[in-house]
Amino acid sequence: MKRRPLGRTGIHVSEIGLGTMTWGEQNTQKEAFAQLDLAIDAGVNLIDTAEMYPVAPRAETQGATERILGAWLTARGRRNDVVIASKITGPGRAFGWIREGQTRLTAETLVAACEGSLRRLGVETIDLYQIHWPERSTNMFGQLGYTHRADPDATPIDETLKGLDALVRSGKIRAIGLSNETPWGVAAFLHAADREGLPRVASIQNPYSLLNRTFEIGLAEFAHCEDVGLLAYSPLAMGVLSGKYEGG
């Protein structure tokens, strides 16, 4: 399996990554271990998780996916063979049990979220740390028809990026990424990085499939021209393209 550079980070990832969002809810630890063993043996080296996982998200299971991945890393001793990606939960989606609802993307919440993920994973560094979704109100998770809703309390992108920079400089993360982001959001992060000398966004994790090609409108140009890699999620459109829903 070929591997490609992740932006300008020096990190090389396999063409296919392993998503983990069902571990601890729909899948047991034993099943997760079997999936990981199979994937690594096949050449996969990118493992993507998030502090919010598993889904459907619940207070009782939050963080279980990272803990399962951490248990596998300890049991197999394969930390140096994989690229670990995780994500900080964004605000405004009723996750009051995560950091007692403190999910604004401030420097303080970035540190708290990252350190929590590091503990659950049992590692010293997360290779790619991503913002799961923007703090501002915008078109994400398939939303169409943009309506601007100003939030005077929203954390400025510059402040969020400076918080991520501090995590990079402390050695807790290697590279930064975005998820469920728009062309304007990617441009704002890149502009702030170039203006302030801060880390550039290495990747964007957005849905992309035969049924969802919105990435091609604006974001594909950014990815190509600014060397921002796409980590495509839901490539089978949540299972629709697999055929598993045929026949009712």
Side-chain angles (χ1 to χ4, degrees), residues 8-27:
R8 305 170 187 175
T9 63
I11 300 171
H12 286 71
V13 298
S14 51
E15 295 174 316
I16 299 174
L18 181 62
T20 64
M21 61 194 301
T22 60
W23 298 351
E25 181 70 35
Q26 299 176 44
N27 295 105

Side-chain angles (χ1 to χ4, degrees), residues 76-111:
R76 300 292 191 265
R78 303 293 298 267
R79 174 64 184 96
N80 294 331
D81 299 325
V82 296
V83 174
I84 297 176
S86 195
K87 299 182 282 290
I88 177 175
T89 300
R93 294 185 66 83
F95 296 128
W97 58 84
I98 297 179
R99 296 185 302 284
E100 298 181 345
Q102 300 301 311
T103 53
R104 294 280 191 180
L105 299 174
T106 65
E108 292 79 9
T109 57
L110 281 161
V111 169

Side-chain angles (χ1 to χ4, degrees), residues 58-227:
R58 296 185 294 123
E60 295 80 6
T61 58
Q62 185 260 318
T65 302
E66 289 181 324
R67 284 190 290 271
I68 289 173
L69 175 55
W72 179 84
L73 291 169
T74 298
R76 300 292 191 265
R78 303 293 298 267
R79 174 64 184 96
N80 294 331
D81 299 325
V82 296
V83 174
I84 297 176
S86 195
K87 299 182 282 290
I88 177 175
T89 300
R93 294 185 66 83
F95 296 128
W97 58 84
I98 297 179
R99 296 185 302 284
E100 298 181 345
Q102 300 301 311
T103 53
R104 294 280 191 180
L105 299 174
T106 65
E108 292 79 9
T109 57
L110 281 161
V111 169
C114 182
E115 290 182 346
S117 290
L118 289 169
R119 284 194 300 272
R120 289 186 290 271
L121 290 165
V123 299
E124 295 181 353
T125 304
I126 295 171
D127 299 304
L128 176 65
Y129 198 54
Q130 306 153 97
I131 295 172
H132 210 151
W133 59 83
E135 180 167 333
R136 68 189 188 280
S137 177
T138 190
N139 290 32
M140 49 188 166
F141 301 109
Q143 178 182 348
L144 300 176
Y146 174 73
T147 300
H148 184 69
R149 291 186 290 274
D151 181 356
D153 297 323
T155 308
I157 283 176
D158 287 34
E159 180 181 336
T160 298
L161 192 55
K162 288 176 182 177
L164 290 166
D165 175 55
L167 290 174
V168 172
R169 287 187 287 106
S170 69
K172 293 178 180 177
I173 65 176
R174 293 180 63 191
I176 66 171
L178 304 173
S179 184
N180 299 296
E181 195 41 286
T182 68
W184 183 89
V186 176
F189 270 93
L190 290 173
H191 180 64
D194 292 342
R195 184 184 66 245
E196 303 290 341
L198 298 169
R200 296 181 99 253
V201 171
S203 62
I204 177 170
Q205 186 175 162
N206 272 29
Y208 186 60
S209 71
L210 289 173
L211 295 182
N212 186 343
R213 296 174 62 179
T214 55
F215 187 85
E216 296 174 4
I217 306 170
L219 278 170
E221 185 176 12
F222 266 111
H224 178 79
C225 295
E226 297 290 345
D227 197 14

Side-chain angles (χ1 to χ4, degrees), residues 31 38 217:
E31 290 169 335
L38 181 65
I217 306 170

